[in-house]
C-alpha cells in the first residue's frame, strides 16, 4: 500500500460510516440492492439489544431510549428507529435503470428504477438529465396548517426527512428558522394566561365570584383587579423574552442564491436546504451539514461554549466526497437529496445520507455522522469559512429541542362554605321556630336557596383575593431587588442578575439540592501553566513566601525567571551560582535537562498554530496541551509552524526544526501520548508525557529525580493542580526502523486498529528517562470553593453532573472543596447492570452497618455515565438514590444531557425537597427545566441555558447571596405576608359572623359596604407590601456569617401547618375580643350626651376602626426592620384612615351614596367613648401577642432570635480559629489520597472518529495564503 492509499485508508477510518463502508468486500456484485452498513448484510449483523432503561417517570417525554452503552451504527437512528439507507434515492433525471460499478472505498451505488414520486430534484437549476414536460411535475406543497388544541400532544414525525439540494421550492414544507422562547403572543395570551397562571382561581374563586356578581355587579371588581395586575406582570416578563428573540432572529448570515453569489439574509428567513457560508467567529444560524471548509481535508474548529460551556475547540470534518467543493460554483452544482433523521434533542448523534448524482448521471451515496453536523448556537473558530447545508431550522434544531417548554385557599373556601351553611341553618331555625314570637319583623316561614348566597357574599372576603395581587407585586419587586443588587453585578461583562420567573423567588429560600454542571459553571475551562518540576527542582510562576527560602529544612522553590536564566546559561540569583549548586558541571547538567524538558513541551503535542494580528494562537482539542505549549512559549521555546512532517520551534529567537516521525495518541486506557522525533543533529528521540502512574512504571533504572519529582507532585496535588509527568529516551536508528515497520502495520489494520496501535506504542515506550512534571491549573470561577463550602454548611447537598472524565471531575471536586480531604470516595465504575447492582447493594449495606455502630464519616459518590445508566433503571434506582443521599457530595461523570435531567427527576420524584439546577450550556437546559428552580450562567452571548432558566446570573459565586440572602429573605417575607393577610381578613370578617347571632341570621352587615372594600384596597394595603418587600429577620451580613440560618427555610419553619393554624386561632381570638368588647360597651345602645341613641352605624364604624387599629398594631409587632416606609405604612395608614374616612362619610351622602353615614361624623368623631374604646380594646387584644413574643424569645428562642441579638448588640464572633491546623490536616490527607489515586490530569479529546496524527499531517501552516477563499 503506497502512502496515498495509506492516507486514504486513514481518512476512511476517521469516520465510522466511511470506515465501515471501506471494508465492503471487493467481490460484491453491483447488481444487488445495497444493504446498510454497505459492507455487510444487515440480516447477519446482530441487532443491538433494546435498552433496559426504564426511567419510570410519569412524563411521556421521559420514555426514551436512554442507553448510555450502545453506540448507534451509522444511519440507524436511535431517534427514528429507521435504517435510512435501505432504499437509495433514484438517479436524477434517469427514466431507466443504469448499471454501474461499486467503488469499494467511498460509496456504494445500486440500480434503481425511476419513479415519478421520487424525483424531488427534477426541476433543480443544475439538473443534468432527461426532462419531461412541466405539466407532469408535482412540486411539494407547504403543509396545510392544522389547528391543534392546547391539550393535544404534538405528533412527532416518523420516517426519514428528505431534503432536496439547491431547489428551495421542494423544501417549503419544513419550518422556518424563526425561534421564540416567549410564553405568549397577542392571540394566545388570554387562553394561556388563564390556563397556566390561574388554574387555582378557576377551581374555586370563579364559581363564587359569579354568585356574587348575580346579586351585586360591583363585587366582581376585586377579581378583575387580581387578573389585570397578574396579567400586567406576565406581560412585563414576556416582553423581555420577545426582545431577546427579536435580537437573535435578526442576526444576518450569508446564503447562496441562484446567481451563485451569497446574499445577507436574517436568520429567521433561512430555510431547510439552503447553503450557508459561515465565517470565522460567526455563530451557526441553524443545524448545518458541513460540506467543505477553508482548511485541509474539510476540517473546521467549533467552539460550543453556548451549548455545553466548553471553550476548548471541537474538530469537525466534512465528508471526503464534498470537502473539495470550495467555491460557490462547485457547491451550487450539487444535485440530489439528503436523507436525514427526523429532528430530535440528541446533541451528540446524527445520521444521514447524501444521495448525489455525478456529472455522468451516476448515483453516489455519502454517509454522514455527527462529525459533519454543526449545531445552531455554536461558534466557528480559527477557520476562515465553511459551507453548510441547512438540515434543521428554528424549533426543530437540536438546541431548541432541548428546551422543554394551593391547598390553603381551598381550606378557606371550605371554611367560607361552612360558615355560610351554618348561618343558613341558623337563619332557617330562626325562621321556622322563632318567627311567630317575632311577628313584628314580618318574616316568611319558607326557606329559599337565596339565603346561602347571601351569606357567601357576606363572608366572601375571608378569602383574601387581594393577596394574589399583593404576592405577585411583591415577587416582582423581589426580582427587581435581585437584579439591582450590585453584589451580583458582573462588571467585566456589564451583566446584572436577571430574574425571568419571579413567581419562584420564595423557593430560592428552601433549596435542599443543587445540581451543577462543571465546565463553564464551576470552571472557566481555562488551563494555565503554573508550575514545573525539572531535574528535581521546583519552579513556579509565583512562589509562596513560605517556599521562597530553605528555612525549617524545607526545599526552596524557584520562579520561572530563574528557570529562564538557567536556560539562557546565566545565573539569575546568588544561590544558583556554580559554587552553590555543585559546580559548573552540575549547572550544565541542569541546563541540559531543562532544555530537553522545554523542547518536549514545545514539540510533543497535536496543536495547530495560527497567526492572527501578528500573534500566534494555538488551536487545540485539549486545553491542557494548549496550556503547556503556551507555557513553553512563555519560557522562550515558541512553537510557531507545523508542516505535515515537521514542527518548527524558536528557541530563544533561533529557529529549530524537528521532524515528526510518529505520534502515539492519548486515550483513557494509555493515559499518555508520545511523539517520535528526529532532532536537528539527526538523533531519534521519543518524547512522552502522561499520568504519573503510567510514566513511572516505564522508567529505566537509576533514575535521579524520581523521589523529588514525586514530592513535588504531592505538593501540586494538595493545591488542586493537574499534573503530568515528562520523560524521554534516545532511540537507536536500527530499533526505530524495526519498530516503524510494526507501527505501519498496526496503522493499516482496519479492524481493531486502535488496540493494535496501543500495542505498538508499548514496544517503544520503555526505559524512559524522567525529566520532571508539569502542573496546570484548571481555573475555577472566582469564589467557587467558598461558595460550595458555604452551601454545604447551609445544609444544601451539591451534586455535580458533568460530561468530563472521572479523574478530571474528581480533581475539580477536590479543588472546589466539593470533596473534602476527610471524605471517603465511593467510586461506581462498572461495566454491566448486574455488577452495578451488586456494588451498590454491598456499599449500601456496609455504610448502614457502619453508621448503626455510631461511626459517621463523610462520603462522596462518584459514578460514571455507563454505571449511571444502569443505576437509573427502575429496579435499581431506589438503591442508587438511597446511597447518594447518604453521601455529602455526588459527582456524575460522562453523563448525557438527558441523564442529567433523569437524575434530577429521580430526586424530585422521591424527595419532598426544592431542587435547583445550574448550568451554562444547551446540554444543561433539560436539567434546568427538570428542577423546581433553574439558574442559567449568563454573560456570554446567546447562552441557551440563561434563556431557559428562571434566574440568570453571571458567576457561580453569586449563587451564595442569591440563596442565602435573597432566597432566605423572600421566603420569610412572603410567609409573613401571607399569614398576615389571612389574619387581617379573618379578624375583620369573623366579626360579621359573630354579629349574625345578634341579627337573627338575617344577613345584615355590620359595616357600610364601600368601607368594607376600602379595608383591603386603601386602609391595610401598605403594611403587607412593606412587610413583603423591606422586612429583614436578620441582615445580609449575619446570613453570610451564619449560613446555618438557611436551614430555617429548608425546614419550613416560618410557614408550617401549626404556624398557620396558630395565626388563624389568633385572628379568631382577636375578632371575638373586639366584637365582644364593642357589644359590652354599646350594650343597650350607647346614649350620647345629646340624649340620642348612637345607632347601628355608629357602633359598626367604631368596631371597624378598632379592628383596623388592631391589625395595624399586629403588623408593627411582627415587623423586624423599621424603615421610613414601615412608618409610613403602619402608623401612616391609621392616620390616613382617620383623615379620609370622616371626609368620605361627610361627602358621600351628599353625592347620594353611602347614605348610612349621613350625620355620623359630628357624632362619632366627637364622642369620648369612641376614643376610649379605640385605645382600650386593641391594647387588650395585642397584650397577649406581646406577652407571647416576650416569652418565646426569652425562654424558647429559635436560632434566628439569637442571631437577631448578635446583630442588635454587634456581638463579635468568638468561634475559635484553626486555619493553620486545618491546613496541616488538609495536606496530610491530600498526600494520602494522592498516593492512593494517582494518574489523572489530561483532558485530551478522546474520540474514536478523530485521528489526531492524520489531522496534524494535513496541515502546513507555512502556506496559509494558499487556502481557498470560498468565493
Amino acid at each position: 500500500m503506497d502512502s496515498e492509499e495509506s492516507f486514504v485508508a486513514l481518512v476512511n477510518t476517521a469516520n465510522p460510516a466511511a470506515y465501515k463502508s471501506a471494508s465492503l468486500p471487493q467481490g460484491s456484485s453491483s447488481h444487488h440492492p445495497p444493504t446498510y452498513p454497505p459492507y455487510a448484510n444487515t440480516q447477519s449483523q446482530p441487532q443491538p439489544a433494546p435498552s433496559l432503561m426504564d426511567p419510570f417517570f410519569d412524563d411521556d417525554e421521559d420514555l426514551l431510549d436512554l442507553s448510555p452503552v450502545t453506540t448507534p451504527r451509522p444511519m440507524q437512528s436511535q431517534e427514528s428507529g429507521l435504517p435510512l439507507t435501505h432504499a437509495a434515492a433514484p438517479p436524477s433525471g434517469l427514466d431507466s435503470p443504469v448499471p454501474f460499478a461499486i467503488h469499494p472505498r467511498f460509496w456504494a451505488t445500486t440500480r434503481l428504477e425511476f419513479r415519478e414520486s421520487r424525483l424531488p430534484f427534477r426541476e433543480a437549476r443544475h439538473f443534468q438529465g432527461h426532462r419531461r414536460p412541466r405539466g407532469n411535475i408535482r412540486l411539494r406543497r407547504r403543509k396545510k396548517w392544522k389547528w391543534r388544541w392546547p391539550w393535544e400532544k404534538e405528533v412527532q414525525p416518523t420516517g426519514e426527512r428528505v431534503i432536496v439540494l439547491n431547489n428551495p421550492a421542494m423544501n417549503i414544507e419544513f419550518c422556518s428558522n424563526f425561534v421564540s422562547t416567549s410564553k405568549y403572543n397577542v392571540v394566545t395570551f388570554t387562553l394561556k394566561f388563564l390556563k397556566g397562571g390561574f388554574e387555582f382561581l378557576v377551581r374555586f374563586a370563579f364559581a363564587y365570584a359569579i354568585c356574587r356578581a348575580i346579586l351585586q355587579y360591583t363585587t366582581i371588581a376585586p377579581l378583575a383587579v387580581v387578573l389585570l395586575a397578574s396579567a400586567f406582570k406576565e406581560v412585563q416578563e414576556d416582553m423581555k423574552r420577545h426582545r431577546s428573540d427579536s435580537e437573535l432572529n435578526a442576526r444576518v448570515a450569508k446564503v447562496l442564491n441562484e446567481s451563485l453569489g451569497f446574499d445577507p439574509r436574517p436568520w429567521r428567513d433561512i430555510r431547510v436546504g439552503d447553503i450557508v457560508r459561515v465565517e470565522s467567529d460567526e455563530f451557526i444560524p441553524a443545524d448545518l451539514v458541513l460540506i467543505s471548509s477553508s482548511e485541509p481535508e474539510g476540517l473546521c474548529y467549533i467552539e460550543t461554549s453556548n451549548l455545553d460551556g466548553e471553550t476548548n475547540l471541537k474538530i469537525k470534518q466534512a465528508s471526503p466526497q464534498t470537502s473539495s467543493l470550495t467555491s460557490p460554483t462547485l457547491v451550487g452544482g450539487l444535485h440530489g437529496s439528503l436523507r436525514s433523521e427526523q429532528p430530535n434533542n440528541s446533541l451528540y448523534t446524527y445520521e444521514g445520507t447524501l444521495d448525489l448524482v455525478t456529472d455522468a448521471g451516476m448515483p453516489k451515496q455519502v454517509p454522514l455522522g455527527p462529525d459533519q453536523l454543526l449545531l445552531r448556537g455554536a461558534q466557528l473558530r480559527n477557520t476562515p469559512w465553511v459551507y453548510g447545508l441547512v438540515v434543521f431550522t428554528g424549533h426543530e434544531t437540536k438546541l431548541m429541542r432541548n428546551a422543554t417548554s394551593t391547598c390553603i385557599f381551598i381550606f378557606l373556601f371550605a371554611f367560607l362554605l361552612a360558615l355560610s351553611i351554618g348561618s343558613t341553618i341558623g337563619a332557617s331555625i330562626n325562621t321556622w321556630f322563632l318567627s311567630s314570637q317575632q311577628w313584628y319583623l314580618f318574616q316568611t316561614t319558607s326557606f329559599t336557596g337565596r339565603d346561602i348566597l347571601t351569606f357567601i357574599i357576606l363572608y366572601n372576603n375571608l378569602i383574601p383575593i387581594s393577596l394574589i395581587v399583593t404576592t405577585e407585586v411583591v415577587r416582582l419587586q423581589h426580582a427587581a431587588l435581585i437584579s439591582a443588587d450590585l453584589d451580583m453585578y458582573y462588571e467585566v461583562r456589564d451583566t446584572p442578575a436577571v430574574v425571568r420567573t419571579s413567581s419562584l423567588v420564595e423557593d430560592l429560600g428552601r433549596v435542599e439540592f443543587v445540581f451543577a454542571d462543571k465546565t463553564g459553571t464551576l470552571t472557566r475551562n481555562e488551563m494555565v501553566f503554573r508550575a514545573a518540576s525539572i531535574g528535581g527542582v521546583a519552579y513556579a510562576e509565583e512562589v509562596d513566601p513560605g517556599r521562597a527560602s530553605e528555612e525549617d529544612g524545607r526545599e526552596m522553590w524557584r520562579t520561572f525567571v530563574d528557570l529562564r536564566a538557567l536556560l539562557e546559561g546565566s545565573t539569575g540569583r546568588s544561590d544558583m551560582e556554580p559554587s552553590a549548586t555543585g559546580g559548573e558541571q552540575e549547572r550544565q547538567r541542569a541546563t541540559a535537562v531543562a532544555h530537553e524538558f522545554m523542547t518536549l513541551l514545545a514539540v510533543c503535542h497535536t496543536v495547530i498554530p495560527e497567526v492572527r494580528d501578528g500573534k500566534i494562537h494555538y488551536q487545540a482539542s485539549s486545553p491542557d496541551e494548549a496550556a503547556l505549549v503556551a507555557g513553553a512559549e512563555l519560557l522562550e521555546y515558541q512553537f510557531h509552524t507545523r508542516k505535515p512532517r515537521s514542527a518548527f520551534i524558536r528557541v530563544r529567537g533561533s529557529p529549530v526544526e524537528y521532524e515528526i516521525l510518529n505520534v502515539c495518541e492519548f486515550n483513557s486506557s494509555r493515559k499518555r501520548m508520545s511523539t517520535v522525533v528526529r532532532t536537528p543533529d539527526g538523533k531519534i528521540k521519543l518524547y512522552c508525557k502522561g499520568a504519573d502512574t503510567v510514566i513511572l512504571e516505564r522508567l529505566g533504572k537509576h533514575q535521579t529525580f524520581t523521589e523529588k519529582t514525586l514530592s513535588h507532585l504531592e505538593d501540586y496535588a494538595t493545591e488542586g493542580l493537574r499534573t503530568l509527568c515528562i520523560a524521554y529516551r534516545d532511540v537507536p536508528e536500527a530499533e526505530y526502523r524495526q519498530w516503524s515497520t510494526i507501527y505501519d502495520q498496526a496503522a493499516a489494520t482496519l479492524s481493531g486498529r486502535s488496540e493494535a496501535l496501543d500495542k505498538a506504542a508499548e514496544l517503544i515506550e520503555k526505559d524512559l528517562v524522567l525529566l520532571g512534571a508539569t502542573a496546570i491549573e484548571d481555573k475555577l470561577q472566582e469564589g467557587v470553593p467558598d461558595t460550595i463550602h458555604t452551601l454545604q454548611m447551609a445544609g444544601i447537598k451539591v451534586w455535580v453532573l458533568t460530561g468530563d472524565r472521572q479523574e478530571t471531575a474528581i480533581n475539580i471536586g477536590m479543588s472546589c472543596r466539593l470533596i473534602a480531604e476527610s471524605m471517603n470516595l465511593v467510586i461506581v465504575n462498572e461495566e454491566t447492570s448486574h455488577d452495578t447492582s451488586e456494588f451498590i447493594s454491598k456499599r449500601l449495606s456496609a455504610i448502614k452497618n457502619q453508621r448503626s455502630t455510631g461511626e459517621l464519616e463523610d462520603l462522596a459518590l462518584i459514578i460514571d455515565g455507563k454505571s449511571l445508566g444502569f443505576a437509573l433503571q427502575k429496579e435499581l434506582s431506589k438503591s442508587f438514590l438511597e446511597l447518594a443521599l447518604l453521601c455529602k457530595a455526588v459527582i456524575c461523570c460522562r453523563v448525557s444531557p438527558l441523564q442529567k435531567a433523569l437524575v434530577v427527576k429521580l430526586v424530585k420524584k422521591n424527595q419532598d425537597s426544592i431542587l435547583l439546577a445550574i448550568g451554562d450550556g444547551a446540554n444543561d437546559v433539560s436539567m434546568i427545566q427538570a428542577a423546581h428552580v433553574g439558574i442559567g450562567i449568563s454573560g456570554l452571548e446567546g447562552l441557551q441555558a440563561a434563556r431557559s432558566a428562571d434566574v440568570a446570573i453571571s458567576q457561580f459565586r453569586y449563587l451564595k447571596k442569591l440563596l442565602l440572602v435573597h432566597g432566605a429573605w423572600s421566603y420569610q417575607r412572603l410567609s409573613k405576608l401571607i399569614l398576615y393577610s389571612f389574619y387581617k381578613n379573618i379578624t375583620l370578617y369573623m366579626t360579621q359572623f359573630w354579629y349574625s347571632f345578634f341579627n337573627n341570621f338575617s344577613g345584615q352587615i355590620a359595616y357600610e359596604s364601600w368601607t368594607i372594600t376600602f379595608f383591603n384596597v386603601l386602609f391595610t394595603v401598605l403594611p403587607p407590601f412593606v412587610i413583603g418587600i423591606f422586612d429583614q429577620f436578620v441582615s445580609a451580613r449575619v446570613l453570610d456569617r451564619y449560613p446555618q440560618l438557611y436551614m430555617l427555610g429548608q425546614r419550613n419553619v416560618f410557614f408550617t401547618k401549626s404556624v398557620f393554624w396558630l395565626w388563624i386561632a389568633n385572628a379568631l381570638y382577636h375578632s371575638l375580643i373586639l366584637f365582644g368588647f364593642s357589644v359590652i360597651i354599646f350594650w343597650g345602645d350607647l346614649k350620647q350626651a345629646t340624649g340620642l341613641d348612637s345607632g347601628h352605624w355608629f357602633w359598626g364604624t367604631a368596631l371597624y376602626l378598632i379592628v383596623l387599629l388592631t391589625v395595624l398594631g399586629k403588623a408593627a409587632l411582627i415587623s423586624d426592620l423599621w424603615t421610613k416606609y414601615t412608618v409610613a405604612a403602619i402608623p401612616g395608614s391609621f392616620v390616613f384612615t382617620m383623615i379620609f374616612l370622616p371626609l368620605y362619610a361627610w361627602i358621600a351622602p351628599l353625592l347620594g351614596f353611602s347614605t348610612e353615614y349621613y350625620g355620623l361624623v359630628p357624632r362619632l368623631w366627637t364622642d369620648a367613648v369612641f376614643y376610649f374604646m379605640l385605645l382600650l380594646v386593641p391594647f387588650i387584644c395585642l397584650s397577649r401577642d406581646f406577652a407571647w413574643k416576650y416569652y418565646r424569645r426569652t425562654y424558647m428562642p429559635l436560632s434566628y432570635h439569637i442571631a437577631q441579638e448578635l446583630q442588635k448588640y454587634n456581638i463579635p464572633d468568638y468561634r475559635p480559629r484553626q486555619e493553620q491546623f486545618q491546613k496541616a490536616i488538609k495536606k496530610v490527607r491530600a498526600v494520602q489520597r494522592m498516593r492512593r489515586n494517582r494518574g489523572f490530569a489530561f483532558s485530551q479529546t478522546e474520540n474514536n472518529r478523530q485521528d489526531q496524527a492524520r489531522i496534524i499531517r494535513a496541515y502546513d501552516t507555512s502556506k496559509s495564503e494558499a487556502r481557498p477563499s470560498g468565493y
Side-chain angles (χ1 to χ4, degrees), residues 1054-1119:
F1054 296 114
F1055 201 77
T1056 61
K1057 290 181 180 178
S1058 58
V1059 169
F1060 177 75
W1061 285 112
L1062 286 173
W1063 275 81
I1064 299 301
N1066 194 40
L1068 295 174
Y1069 165 77
H1070 282 183
S1071 66
L1072 190 58
I1073 293 295
L1074 290 165
F1075 180 80
F1077 271 84
S1078 70
V1079 170
I1080 292 172
I1081 292 174
F1082 280 82
W1083 189 262
D1085 206 349
L1086 183 67
K1087 301 294 187 293
Q1088 294 189 287
T1090 60
L1092 300 175
D1093 288 339
S1094 56
H1096 172 76
W1097 301 112
F1098 188 106
W1099 164 79
T1101 307
L1103 175 59
Y1104 180 88
L1105 288 172
I1106 64 173
V1107 169
L1108 177 64
L1109 186 57
T1110 302
V1111 298
L1112 291 175
K1114 181 66 174 178
L1117 275 178
I1118 64 173
S1119 294

Side-chain angles (χ1 to χ4, degrees), residues 35 65 116 327 766 809 870 919:
T35 58
D65 182 6
E116 177 85 14
S327 70
K766 62 181 181 180
F870 301 132

Side-chain angles (χ1 to χ4, degrees), residues 71-301:
T71 302
R73 292 166 55 196
M75 289 306 302
Q76 288 196 322
S77 169
Q78 288 184 329
E79 287 71 30
S80 63
L82 295 176
L84 300 183
T85 54
H86 278 317
S92 174
L94 298 181
D95 294 330
S96 59
V98 179
F100 48 85
I102 295 178
H103 193 300
R105 183 168 286 129
F106 293 132
W107 46 271
T109 55
T110 185
R111 186 174 69 181
L112 295 173
E113 296 183 2
F114 171 80
R115 290 180 294 173
E116 177 85 14
S117 62
R118 292 300 299 254
L119 264 180
F121 42 82
R122 190 166 187 82
E123 286 296 303
R125 185 177 184 275
H126 300 284
F127 165 69
Q128 298 178 8
H130 304 287
R131 292 184 179 270
R132 289 191 174 186
R134 294 187 63 86
N136 293 336
I137 301 299
R138 292 191 299 172
L139 295 178
R140 291 179 182 172
R141 296 181 179 178
R142 185 183 296 274
K143 292 181 180 178
K144 186 179 179 181
W145 183 80
K146 182 181 178 181
W147 172 265
R148 182 167 63 89
W149 293 102
W151 54 83
E152 291 181 346
K153 290 188 177 181
E154 182 182 358
V155 178
Q156 297 297 327
T158 57
E160 60 188 37
R161 164 175 287 207
V162 179
I163 301 168
V164 184
L165 306 182
N166 289 312
N167 194 337
M170 302 303 298
N171 299 317
I172 60 174
E173 65 176 293
F174 302 114
C175 76
S176 72
N177 201 37
F178 178 85
V179 297
S180 173
T181 58
S182 58
K183 292 183 181 179
Y184 313 109
N185 58 40
V186 176
V187 177
T188 63
F189 175 77
T190 303
L191 276 177
K192 286 187 176 181
F193 170 69
L194 289 176
K195 177 183 180 295
F198 281 83
E199 287 182 346
F200 62 96
L201 267 179
V202 174
R203 288 173 185 168
F204 66 92
F206 196 70
Y208 85 84
I210 290 178
C211 292
R212 294 166 55 191
I214 292 173
L215 301 179
Q216 295 183 9
Y217 70 92
T218 56
T219 57
I220 199 69
L223 182 59
V225 172
V226 169
L227 292 173
L228 290 174
S230 295
F232 176 76
K233 171 247 183 187
E234 290 287 328
V235 168
Q236 289 293 101
E237 291 185 348
D238 210 50
M239 286 299 294
K240 297 177 184 177
R241 301 186 186 100
H242 276 286
R243 283 192 291 267
S244 177
D245 294 338
S246 298
E247 258 180 62
L248 195 65
N249 290 318
R251 287 182 179 175
V252 176
K254 296 179 179 178
V255 180
L256 187 69
N257 58 28
E258 293 184 358
S259 305
L260 299 183
F262 287 97
D263 292 334
R265 187 183 298 177
W267 279 20
R268 59 177 173 268
D269 295 335
I270 292 175
R271 294 292 183 267
V272 172
D274 285 345
I275 292 177
V276 179
R277 176 189 170 100
V278 182
E279 298 182 351
S280 184
D281 297 330
E282 290 182 352
F283 289 94
I284 310 297
D287 287 354
L288 310 179
V289 168
L290 178 61
I291 296 177
S292 61
S293 77
S294 59
E295 303 303 290
E297 307 299 328
L299 296 168
C300 72
Y301 293 86

Side-chain angles (χ1 to χ4, degrees), residues 345-347 398-404 897 922-923 925-926 929:
N345 64 353
S346 176
L347 292 173
K398 290 179 178 285
L399 183 146
M400 295 302 295
R401 285 273 168 166
N402 271 275
T404 59
N923 63 339
V925 170
S926 55
Q929 295 185 338

Side-chain angles (χ1 to χ4, degrees), residues 561-562 564-573 576-577 587 591:
V561 174
D562 300 326
R564 190 180 292 109
L566 176 66
L567 291 168
E568 292 174 353
S570 62
T571 56
R573 288 172 19 174
M576 293 180 62
E577 292 292 336
R587 189 182 68 80
T591 302

Side-chain angles (χ1 to χ4, degrees), residues 1075-1233:
F1075 180 80
F1077 271 84
S1078 70
V1079 170
I1080 292 172
I1081 292 174
F1082 280 82
W1083 189 262
D1085 206 349
L1086 183 67
K1087 301 294 187 293
Q1088 294 189 287
T1090 60
L1092 300 175
D1093 288 339
S1094 56
H1096 172 76
W1097 301 112
F1098 188 106
W1099 164 79
T1101 307
L1103 175 59
Y1104 180 88
L1105 288 172
I1106 64 173
V1107 169
L1108 177 64
L1109 186 57
T1110 302
V1111 298
L1112 291 175
K1114 181 66 174 178
L1117 275 178
I1118 64 173
S1119 294
D1120 293 309
L1121 179 68
W1122 279 76
T1123 65
K1124 58 184 178 181
Y1125 304 105
T1126 314
V1127 174
I1130 298 176
S1133 290
F1134 188 73
V1135 172
F1136 171 77
T1137 304
M1138 293 299 288
I1139 296 172
F1140 175 84
L1141 193 57
L1143 291 175
Y1144 174 79
W1146 174 56
I1147 296 173
L1150 299 179
L1151 300 177
F1153 61 93
S1154 296
T1155 54
E1156 297 91 339
Y1157 282 149
Y1158 186 81
L1160 179 67
V1161 175
R1163 295 190 296 119
L1164 178 61
W1165 267 268
T1166 58
D1167 194 285
V1169 176
F1170 162 66
Y1171 290 103
F1172 172 76
M1173 178 180 173
L1174 200 59
L1175 295 175
L1176 175 66
V1177 182
F1179 175 78
I1180 294 173
C1181 283
L1182 295 175
S1183 59
R1184 188 216 64 85
D1185 297 67
F1186 184 82
W1188 168 249
K1189 185 174 183 179
Y1190 170 80
Y1191 175 80
R1192 181 73 181 273
R1193 296 179 67 90
T1194 306
Y1195 301 104
M1196 299 169 52
L1198 295 176
S1199 57
Y1200 75 94
H1201 292 143
I1202 299 172
Q1204 287 173 343
E1205 298 294 324
L1206 294 173
Q1207 175 182 327
K1208 179 178 179 180
Y1209 298 107
N1210 198 23
I1211 300 174
D1213 187 357
Y1214 288 109
R1215 290 178 294 179
R1217 306 291 182 179
Q1218 301 181 8
E1219 285 86 354
Q1220 296 300 323
F1221 175 73
Q1222 290 174 350
K1223 188 179 292 184
I1225 295 297
K1226 175 182 176 182
K1227 178 175 173 59
V1228 172
R1229 288 172 174 166
V1231 169
Q1232 293 173 348
R1233 185 181 305 284

